[in-house]
Every structure is written in structure tokens, then in C-alpha cells.
Amino acid sequence: MKKNIVLEEMDPLEIYGAGNKILSEFCKHFPELRVVARGNELILDGKQEDIEEFTMKFAELVDRRKHKMNLTPYDVEDIFDADSSPENYKLADDAPIVHGTDGKPIKARNKTQQQLVKAYFENDLIFAVGPAGTGKTYIAIALAVRALKNREIKRIILTRPAVEAGERLGFLPGDLKDKLDPYLQPLYDALGDMIPTRKLQEFMQDGTIQIAPLAYMRGRTLDKACVILDEAQNTNLGQLKMFLTRMGANAKFIVTGDASQVDLPHKEDSGLLKGIKLVKDIKGVSTIMFTNEDIVRHPLVSKIVKAFDKHIDEEENNE
């Protein structure tokens, strides 16, 4: 059986890669199929089932190229990973969530991150709580980027409470956006690892990706979106309720925070753990608890966190 595939409105080099490197990697998965590339046309010769699978997978490759600046061999690997689809992903602990702008796979790096990935595919509201450096927000953003690339959602919305962490907003230079951007910078950084700069700018200009302080969520209904509330320990119970009730149809909400790093004037005002206690038994809600053992930053970070926690515990015991 023979079949021709024609690439329309796209330079073949964008799909085949320099020296046909991407196409060659792709064709390795079809050892019994003869594939000849002539300009923007591919000529297939072989068994019908091989041709049908090649056509389907090649369409995925073309679609993937539309969502990123360059294809890499990792993209081919991801397409042929049987467990990389949303339906099967929860069974593949080592499968890539998404590929970074450098082509390297971004995946869960420990058991707790794997639990977060699994929870995402089984629930619509996930709480990820634990120390800084455990990768909870980074993995959450990777899951959101994957969903956007797979067209499972239409928007990514990232938000943080604009709480002063040792600084006062009024003393910072610039307008409101300038004052808030330092608080949101970690979210920009994570997105920049996963989406090429030019594409990220386009997404932010057309509203596909939105980064805003929590106060801007009031009155909105967020549907067909993955919405991430970061630094949730700095919300009170009323603010957390306001955020959670923004959930619309076909939405995923992820709430991340570190209950030991509350920047509110009165730490007891934090609504994170109170909110989790109220909703943890509701079907469709999952809570993932990270510990110091899950820290994936520099090895010193884990030791620093333990030292500070020990000091705080000693002070509380002496009171």
C-alpha cells in the first residue's frame, strides 16, 4: 500500500529537522515502512496498519511544532511514549510532563512529585503543601503548560496574594504592575523554562496565559483553564474561599503553599491549612504533602530549612 502526505503552509525543514534528523528519529519507529521525503511531500510504502499509525503520529508531530519554536528528538520520544497521553499518564511515573525550551524533559523527580502528577489527572482541585524548594509550583506549572499544548484547556491563570514579605509595596518604584511583578517573577521564570520567549509573550498578550495578583480574581468565573494559586499560605480563609469558588466548567485548580512561611501580620490568619481541613473529604479534591526530604534545590537548602525549623521549634517550646 502507498500513501502521500503533503505538508501545507509549513517549511518541511521545520518538521524534518536539519539533515532530516527529526524525520529519521521518527522513522525508526517504523522499521518495515519505506518513507521517502521529496520537498513538502512524504511518500509512504508498506503495510496499511503501519501507514495509518505513521499518519496519525506524524499529525501529532506537526501539531506539536505549531506550539513550539523547534522540534527535538525528545518530542519524537514523547509522541511514541504509550503512557504519555492524559488517560495513561498516571501509570508512568518517569514519563515527561512537558519538554523545556532547551529540549530536555521536565518530569517528576521524586515520589511526592509523582503523587502530585497523579492527583492532577484524577482530581479537579489539588492542594500541594510543603517547604520551599520541593518543586510543587514548578510541577504544577508544567502540568498546566502540558494541558495547554494538548488543547485540554484554553487558558493558564497563575496568581499569588500580593503580601509584603519584609517590604512595603508603597515604597517600591513604578505603577501597580511594577510593584507587583517582583512577587510574580518566580512564575514568569518557570514559564520561561517551558515556553519560548516569543511564544510566551504572544500568549500573555492575547490572554492565553495570565499572571495576576489574587485580588484580580474576584468576580470572575474561570472555565476551560488551569488555575494555580501560589503562596496560598498568605491568604486568609475568606480569600481562599473566594478563589476556590471561581472554578468554572472544565477547570483544574492547583493551590500551592508553605504553611511555615506565612508573611501575614498575624500568622494565625492564614487560611491554607484551615481550608484544606474543610474540603479534604470532598470527592474530586486531593491534598499532597511535601516534606524537607522532597527538596530538589541545592543540597544545602534542605539543611538550611531543617536548621531554621529546629530553631523555631525550640523557641516555641521555650515560650
Side-chain angles (χ1 to χ4, degrees):
M1 179 179 176
K2 291 187 177 182
K3 180 178 180 177
N4 290 13
I5 297 177
V6 179
L7 282 171
E8 298 178 352
E9 300 178 0
M10 187 172 287
D11 185 345
L13 182 62
E14 297 177 12
I15 303 298
Y16 302 163
N20 286 352
K21 182 177 180 180
I22 302 299
L23 181 61
S24 297
E25 196 69 29
F26 190 90
C27 291
K28 287 180 182 178
H29 294 271
F30 300 92
E32 297 183 8
L33 188 65
R34 184 169 180 265
V35 181
V36 177
R38 292 178 180 170
N40 68 336
E41 187 176 23
L42 286 177
I43 303 169
L44 312 181
D45 187 358
K47 296 178 181 177
Q48 180 177 347
E49 56 266 31
D50 285 343
I51 289 177
E52 289 176 353
E53 184 181 2
F54 185 102
T55 302
M56 180 183 68
K57 296 290 188 182
F58 191 76
E60 291 183 33
L61 188 69
V62 172
D63 185 66
R64 184 177 289 255
R65 171 59 185 83
K66 292 176 181 178
H67 290 82
K68 58 182 298 190
M69 293 188 69
N70 297 293
L71 292 174
T72 74
Y74 290 116
D75 292 302
V76 177
E77 175 188 331
D78 196 32
I79 287 172
F80 285 94
D81 186 340
D83 292 322
S84 66
S85 66
E87 294 79 9
N88 298 324
Y89 186 90
K90 58 187 178 183
L91 302 176
D93 292 337
D94 197 43
I97 300 171
V98 70
H99 285 89
T101 52
D102 58 2
K104 293 181 180 179
I106 295 171
K107 59 178 70 176
R109 295 174 60 182
N110 55 46
K111 292 285 187 182
T112 313
Q113 289 187 4
Q114 290 169 3
Q115 290 173 14
L116 174 56
V117 173
K118 182 178 180 181
Y120 174 86
F121 288 105
E122 296 180 348
N123 302 273
D124 288 336
L125 171 59
I126 304 98
F127 291 91
V129 182
T134 52
K136 52 190 183 295
T137 301
Y138 197 79
I139 292 296
I141 291 176
L143 289 165
V145 171
R146 177 187 177 87
L148 183 66
K149 288 185 174 183
N150 289 347
R151 300 183 182 179
E152 297 162 16
I153 57 172
K154 290 187 176 181
R155 292 179 293 169
I156 295 175
I157 299 173
L158 310 178
T159 184
R160 272 184 163 191
V163 174
E164 302 162 6
E167 297 179 351
R168 293 192 177 276
L169 285 173
F171 290 105
L172 295 174
D175 58 18
L176 180 61
K177 182 180 182 302
D178 294 330
K179 294 175 188 290
L180 291 172
D181 271 355
Y183 292 90
L184 304 174
Q185 191 59 47
L187 306 180
Y188 289 109
D189 291 344
L191 285 169
D193 286 349
M194 305 173 200
I195 302 174
T197 302
R198 188 169 62 182
K199 192 65 178 178
L200 178 57
Q201 290 174 346
E202 291 176 7
F203 280 153
M204 297 190 71
Q205 287 172 359
D206 66 18
T208 300
I209 294 178
Q210 302 171 28
I211 304 179
L214 179 61
Y216 286 32
M217 298 297 107
R218 190 175 299 277
R220 302 181 65 183
T221 299
L222 307 174
D223 55 8
K224 295 182 180 177
C226 184
V227 188
I228 299 172
L229 170 59
D230 191 32
E231 301 288 351
Q233 75 275 5
N234 290 328
T235 62
N236 60 40
L237 199 57
Q239 290 172 319
L240 185 60
K241 177 185 175 183
M242 179 275 290
F243 172 76
L244 296 179
T245 53
R246 301 307 94 201
M247 184 181 289
N250 301 311
K252 293 273 190 179
F253 272 42
I254 306 176
V255 179
T256 68
D258 178 2
S260 71
Q261 290 191 346
V262 178
D263 296 316
L264 298 171
H266 303 288
K267 295 185 185 299
E268 62 272 16
D269 290 340
S270 176
L272 178 58
L273 296 183
K274 297 174 187 175
I276 290 174
K277 187 175 180 180
L278 289 173
V279 303
K280 64 183 177 65
D281 294 327
I282 298 175
K283 186 177 180 181
V285 178
S286 177
T287 302
I288 307 299
M289 303 300 295
F290 289 79
T291 69
N292 292 340
E293 304 303 319
D294 297 312
I295 292 175
V296 292
R297 290 181 183 168
H298 192 288
L300 277 178
V301 174
S302 179
K303 296 177 182 179
I304 291 168
V305 171
K306 289 178 181 178
F308 274 76
D309 287 348
K310 182 180 178 181
H311 174 70
I312 292 170
D313 290 340
E314 289 174 350
E315 282 193 335
E316 290 177 348
N317 291 333
N318 292 330
E319 288 180 357

